[in-house]
Amino acid sequence: MTSIIFRGLEDDNFKLFKFYVARANRIIPALAVLCLVLLVFGWFYLTLWFTELSVST
């Protein structure tokens, strides 16, 4: 990341907004997939756990 910033500053074409857009384009898809996987896992795991908890009480 630092090399991208320094290279842009040396070439005199560094734009902070463009830098953050590029970072977001890399991070947001992975974050969305992670959230979806955790949502599905949590739905099934916690449903099972709550069912077992309600039976035991």
Side-chain angles (χ1 to χ4, degrees):
M1 245 175 21
T2 306
S3 65
I4 295 169
I5 294 171
F6 282 141
R7 194 176 324 120
L9 289 173
E10 287 174 356
D11 295 341
D12 217 16
N13 66 352
F14 179 74
K15 304 277 190 254
L16 189 61
F17 182 74
K18 180 181 162 188
F19 174 75
Y20 278 118
V21 167
R23 302 305 310 158
N25 284 336
R26 288 193 63 183
I27 293 170
I28 290 175
L31 181 62
V33 169
L34 177 66
C35 288
L36 182 65
V37 167
L38 291 176
L39 181 68
V40 170
F41 175 74
W43 179 266
F44 289 111
Y45 181 74
L46 291 178
T47 302
L48 177 65
W49 185 73
F50 282 133
T51 304
E52 290 176 3
L53 183 64
S54 68
V55 170
S56 68
T57 56

